[in-house]
Amino acid sequence: MSTLENLSCPIDSAPLQRCERSLICQHGHTYDLAKTGYVNLLPVQNKRSKDPGDSKEMVTSRHAFLNQHHYQPIVQAILSSWPKENLHNGVRILDAGCGEGYYLSEIGRVLSDQGINAERMGLDISKWAVTAASKRDKDISWLVASNASLPMPKERFDAVLCLFGFPVFTEFSRVLSDHGVLLLVESGADHLIELRTLLYPSIHEYKATFAAGVPGFELLHEQAERFTFTLDSQLHIQQLLSMTPHIHKASYDGREAVKQLNSITLTADIKLRWYQKEIKEVNYV
Ligand SMILES: C[S@@+](CC[C@H](N)C(=O)[O-])C[C@H]1O[C@@H](n2cnc3c(N)ncnc32)[C@H](O)[C@@H]1O
Ligand SMILES: [Zn+2]
């Protein structure tokens, strides 16, 4: 069951207590649970736009695409590369920018088959994404919140996952326990290259992100994952396109060319990087 435990008030950082279908801080700030069980901890003053994050349409498309399990090899790669000493019974996992919840849900299912019980929390700035996630899996605590200001105390988690998302390293470091790990998953140079070749007149040179390292973290392990999958209808092709930024960036001619397809075989080219939180040395004099 989702517990929504050990969270902080986004206004004053005071601990939140569960009282039936609300979370309340000692100063009386109250956050009601939505019908589907998630809680919105994104105060209006922290919103940069009225409807931040992925739109309802993007979330619907991502949900339909991920439910076809073409990206199941990514779930397997995450689990097989997870640092072994971190993956113990009771491990506390945060998915920061969880989208519609596919990965965190699948990770929990596989871990539970292996006899590992994980406490899982997923958050996203998009209320559409969190609504979909909260319908997908009732065993996970789901929040609307921003990576820029995580509504939870320090050292709350043993692992933070940021999959195709927007990392905020100071916040990730704060909420990780000593020896906690961070996973970044990003697309590599050839990701969906067949589609991008149709969409753009030329392909930009690939630039690796965080090549110079990540502040506050030490790289433990880096891995590339490559596989192919086939989409066999125009609907499935449009669903994939609509969950990516290409839907807005591609040229008119490119999008028209993709509308002519009935099937396409695509390369998935993914980078996984595991980091460990750097522990600051204390100098005793
Ligand atoms: C490309 S999607 C990836 C979603 C999910 N991790 C997946 O792989 O299916 C990026 C997600 O980050 C969310 N997002 C954008 N800015 C955010 C922020 N500041 N804090 C948390 N989530 C954010 C978006 O709403 C969107 O759901
Ligand atoms: Zn408060």
Side-chain angles (χ1 to χ4, degrees):
M1 269 295 286
S2 144
T3 55
L4 290 168
E5 275 172 3
N6 210 351
L7 291 164
S8 318
C9 174
I11 296 171
D12 51 31
S13 299
L16 290 172
Q17 302 297 338
R18 175 89 180 249
C19 183
E20 295 182 2
R21 290 194 61 82
S22 302
L23 299 182
I24 306 177
C25 89
Q26 67 204 55
H27 304 114
H29 301 123
T30 302
Y31 306 91
D32 294 336
L33 271 63
K35 256 197 222 124
T36 54
Y38 73 85
V39 67
N40 189 334
L41 295 181
L42 189 67
V44 184
Q45 56 268 38
N46 286 11
K47 279 191 188 180
R48 295 233 178 113
S49 77
K50 215 168 153 227
D51 190 13
D54 277 10
S55 65
K56 190 176 183 182
E57 292 69 32
M58 283 178 94
V59 169
T60 307
S61 297
R62 178 166 294 116
H63 190 67
F65 171 77
L66 289 172
N67 276 349
Q68 294 167 55
H69 299 290
H70 295 299
Y71 278 4
Q72 187 62 213
I74 302 177
V75 175
Q76 298 305 331
I78 292 172
L79 285 161
S80 63
S81 61
W82 202 302
K84 293 290 162 280
E85 51 295 347
N86 182 264
L87 207 48
H88 50 76
N89 213 8
V91 57
R92 300 164 302 164
I93 306 170
L94 172 68
D95 188 348
C98 59
E100 52 69 74
Y102 176 78
Y103 293 97
L104 195 55
S105 182
E106 286 295 296
I107 285 168
R109 188 182 56 74
V110 178
L111 286 180
S112 134
D113 288 348
Q114 295 172 3
I116 297 173
N117 185 24
E119 188 217 314
R120 290 164 297 153
M121 193 173 276
L123 69 84
D124 200 284
I125 204 166
S126 157
K127 68 168 186 260
W128 306 111
V130 176
T131 301
S134 61
K135 290 180 188 163
R136 180 191 275 290
D137 196 326
K138 301 285 178 198
D139 289 336
I140 298 174
S141 296
W142 301 108
L143 322 175
V144 176
S146 172
N147 290 348
S149 176
L150 295 172
M152 47 201 64
K154 65 180 186 170
E155 300 180 17
R156 171 71 179 82
F157 295 100
D158 305 304
V160 172
L161 316 178
C162 186
L163 317 177
F164 309 103
F166 300 89
V168 178
F169 298 112
T170 46
E171 279 296 86
F172 292 173
S173 171
R174 183 180 66 79
V175 301
L176 274 173
S177 55
D178 281 357
H179 308 292
V181 295
L182 164 67
L183 170 68
L184 294 186
V185 174
E186 293 176 329
S187 40
D190 290 338
H191 191 52
L192 307 180
I193 188 68
E194 300 81 358
L195 193 61
R196 285 158 53 213
T197 307
L198 284 169
L199 287 171
Y200 300 104
S202 64
I203 301 291
H204 286 303
E205 200 190 323
Y206 175 76
K207 283 203 193 90
T209 51
F210 313 116
V214 163
F217 289 90
E218 239 174 78
L219 183 65
L220 286 178
H221 173 73
E222 182 165 10
Q223 176 173 323
E225 202 58 35
R226 215 182 154 94
F227 57 92
T228 58
F229 62 98
T230 300
L231 299 178
D232 55 10
S233 75
Q234 174 58 209
L235 174 67
H236 290 165
I237 295 167
Q238 287 303 328
Q239 283 166 344
L240 174 64
L241 187 57
S242 309
M243 69 174 237
T244 71
H246 305 305
I247 185 84
H248 304 297
K249 290 194 205 154
S251 65
Y252 174 82
D253 288 350
R255 275 180 282 142
E256 286 301 307
V258 170
K259 278 190 194 159
Q260 305 309 313
L261 302 173
N262 288 316
S263 104
I264 188 167
T265 295
L266 293 161
T267 301
D269 177 16
I270 306 295
K271 271 199 175 148
L272 290 91
R273 277 181 284 187
W274 285 98
Y275 299 86
Q276 183 158 43
K277 175 174 164 172
E278 257 171 21
I279 300 180
K280 292 205 175 69
E281 278 182 31
V282 182
N283 292 320
Y284 296 99
V285 262

